[in-house]
Amino acid sequence: MSFTKTERIAPVSEKWFITRARKFNRKKINEYLQHSPRLSPSTLTQYRSCLRIFAYWIYKYCDNRKIIDLKIRDGKAYQDWLIDHNGSSTNINVKLAAASELCEYIEKYYEEEYSTFRNPIRKGREQIVKTPRKEKHPLDPDEINQFLTELHNRRQFQRECYVALSYQTACRRAESPQFKRIIANYTDADAKYFENEGVRHKYFLSNSIRCKGPGRQGKIRRFKLSEETLDYIRQWDEQRRYLVRKQGLTDDADSLFVHIDSREVRNLTPAAFAYWFEDFGDIVGRKLHPHDLRTSRATNLVVYQNKPLSAVSVMMGHKSEETTKVYYVITNDRDSDASLL
């Protein structure tokens, strides 16, 4: 088998998948996706795309054979093809994982029908050299304040609210659209209290949010909101009411973050926040991404405020402190002792 180096792999369309992929392969891919309750909705979408690429590769480089007829050398060739297309190690591993789990499904659930079939991806797979992670540049506390102040001066109260809430809770971009508008109506009667070393802390609990985790339900959390964050939420909700009245609209959207135009008010999707960040770079003088708020929150709590890593890890929703250390807490020479916390 031979193939030439090409550009990055393009997504495979629904039309191509239905008309060109082998019927057996198409059926097994769809069946696997329908019977994988442990996959989260986002992972399911990702795997669907990855498996269509796998079907395309089989079509182009393996004579469109049935998956059960693939050999170990084919598993190795698929990995080489992915590497040859300049993907990052993370990107390649996701595509290999999707193909491998599909083959694992066939091997386990069709053991009697295809008794000689063995997962070619698992057996042909070799260790991939990890590509360097993109260097993180968290926003320090002064930059966060600068960020919020500028958005306030621009009267972009929804964006200011999003930055304040996402930073304080360290929620992920996919979690932000799930915050409900009802929290803008919280009063002191809804407050919760926690005493620690003689200090009484006041906070409010969000509605239930589906967070990153296995299965359709994922991990359900209620985020703690500070009084300051609630002030940002109320400020945006007041402006929202004004904008809706000005447009003469009915506001039935239940999410905190919405799009308002001349026709309707509708809930925002996670993509909207990435779009906002394209305009945010000029505020702090560098390109930003929604995930930078999460990175910045963990870093600032540990490095600048000397908060215990164990508590920060809980706030981040990590299973272990090691995850918080490796992926989110950034240290430098001045704060080199942060790694000892």
Side-chain angles (χ1 to χ4, degrees):
M1 179 186 302
S2 63
F3 45 81
T4 59
K5 188 172 182 177
T6 59
E7 296 184 2
R8 292 182 184 276
I9 305 164
V12 174
S13 69
E14 173 81 9
K15 181 179 179 181
W16 186 94
F17 185 65
I18 292 173
T19 59
R20 308 297 288 276
R22 186 164 186 147
K23 183 178 180 181
F24 178 91
N25 296 344
R26 189 171 69 246
K27 181 178 179 181
K28 288 295 177 283
I29 288 172
N30 288 334
E31 183 183 305
Y32 163 72
L33 293 172
Q34 291 169 5
H35 296 88
S36 299
R38 73 177 190 79
L39 298 181
S40 68
S42 59
T43 302
L44 193 64
T45 300
Q46 189 177 38
Y47 270 32
R48 181 177 289 108
S49 175
C50 290
L51 290 176
R52 288 182 178 184
I53 288 171
F54 184 45
Y56 167 81
W57 179 82
I58 295 172
Y59 171 86
K60 191 165 185 180
Y61 300 113
C62 291
D63 300 321
N64 210 18
R65 297 202 304 269
K66 292 181 180 180
I67 293 171
I68 56 171
D69 292 329
L70 296 178
K71 307 300 182 185
I72 294 175
R73 63 176 177 271
D74 297 317
K76 174 65 168 63
Y78 183 54
Q79 181 181 33
D80 291 343
W81 182 72
L82 293 174
I83 294 172
D84 193 51
H85 282 72
N86 304 317
S88 67
S89 56
T90 299
N91 183 285
I92 292 169
N93 283 328
V94 169
K95 288 180 172 60
L96 288 174
S100 183
E101 291 188 32
L102 166 67
C103 293
E104 205 74 25
Y105 169 83
I106 296 172
E107 185 178 333
K108 289 179 178 178
Y109 286 88
Y110 290 93
E111 183 180 9
E112 294 182 2
E113 291 91 332
Y114 317 122
S115 58
T116 60
F117 176 67
R118 295 294 180 268
N119 184 345
I121 304 297
R122 184 187 67 234
K123 289 184 170 296
R125 190 171 180 173
E126 295 180 350
Q127 180 125 16
I128 298 174
V129 176
K130 287 188 177 182
T131 52
R133 289 182 176 273
K134 184 179 179 181
E135 188 176 356
K136 298 181 178 71
H137 298 285
L139 298 161
D140 64 33
D142 288 339
E143 288 178 314
I144 290 293
N145 289 331
Q146 175 190 350
F147 203 168
L148 293 170
T149 299
E150 179 60 26
L151 291 173
H152 185 83
N153 291 339
R154 295 178 183 181
R155 295 190 62 78
Q156 295 180 333
F157 294 156
Q158 177 168 213
R159 298 186 181 197
E160 183 185 8
C161 174
Y162 166 74
V163 171
L165 182 147
S166 297
Y167 175 72
Q168 186 253 293
T169 62
C171 65
R172 296 176 176 87
R173 186 182 65 167
E175 295 157 2
S176 299
Q178 299 180 53
F179 284 89
K180 299 298 183 183
R181 187 184 188 183
I182 193 173
I183 61 181
N185 298 322
Y186 282 177
T187 66
D188 281 348
D190 300 299
K192 307 291 181 183
Y193 297 90
F194 173 74
E195 288 199 18
N196 182 37
E197 297 181 352
V199 179
R200 196 180 193 212
H201 300 271
K202 181 180 180 181
Y203 64 93
F204 300 83
L205 287 176
S206 73
N207 55 285
S208 296
I209 306 288
R210 188 210 178 280
C211 301
K212 186 176 181 180
R216 301 290 190 266
Q217 294 302 315
K219 182 179 180 181
I220 304 299
R221 293 180 63 191
R222 296 183 70 186
F223 288 87
K224 294 180 177 66
L225 308 173
S226 69
E227 284 191 278
E228 184 180 8
T229 297
L230 209 57
D231 287 339
Y232 286 109
I233 292 170
R234 289 168 180 154
Q235 175 185 252
W236 153 235
D237 194 63
E238 183 179 344
Q239 187 185 52
R240 172 176 171 173
R241 292 176 192 278
Y242 167 76
L243 294 173
V244 169
R245 285 196 306 269
K246 185 178 178 181
Q247 294 282 8
L249 300 170
T250 299
D251 188 353
D252 293 324
D254 63 347
S255 291
L256 176 61
F257 301 110
V258 295
H259 174 77
I260 303 172
D261 58 29
S262 60
R263 297 171 298 174
E264 62 178 348
V265 181
R266 63 179 183 273
N267 295 335
L268 284 183
T269 65
F273 305 122
Y275 173 75
W276 286 356
F277 270 75
E278 291 179 8
D279 299 329
F280 287 164
D282 65 308
I283 298 177
V284 295
R286 63 177 181 273
K287 189 175 181 180
L288 296 173
H289 185 275
H291 202 71
D292 291 332
L293 294 176
R294 187 167 159 83
T295 305
S296 301
R297 181 60 167 161
T299 302
N300 294 341
L301 284 170
V302 173
V303 175
Y304 289 93
Q305 296 178 240
N306 298 315
K307 298 298 183 182
L309 188 62
S310 57
V312 175
S313 186
V314 171
M315 181 199 68
M316 300 289 285
H318 291 155
K319 289 183 179 180
S320 73
E321 295 177 21
E322 288 303 311
T323 304
T324 310
K325 260 193 269 189
V326 171
Y327 293 102
Y328 296 98
V329 176
I330 314 300
T331 61
N332 52 42
D333 292 340
R334 185 174 66 80
D335 299 298
S336 60
D337 61 336
S339 63
L340 302 178
L341 294 177

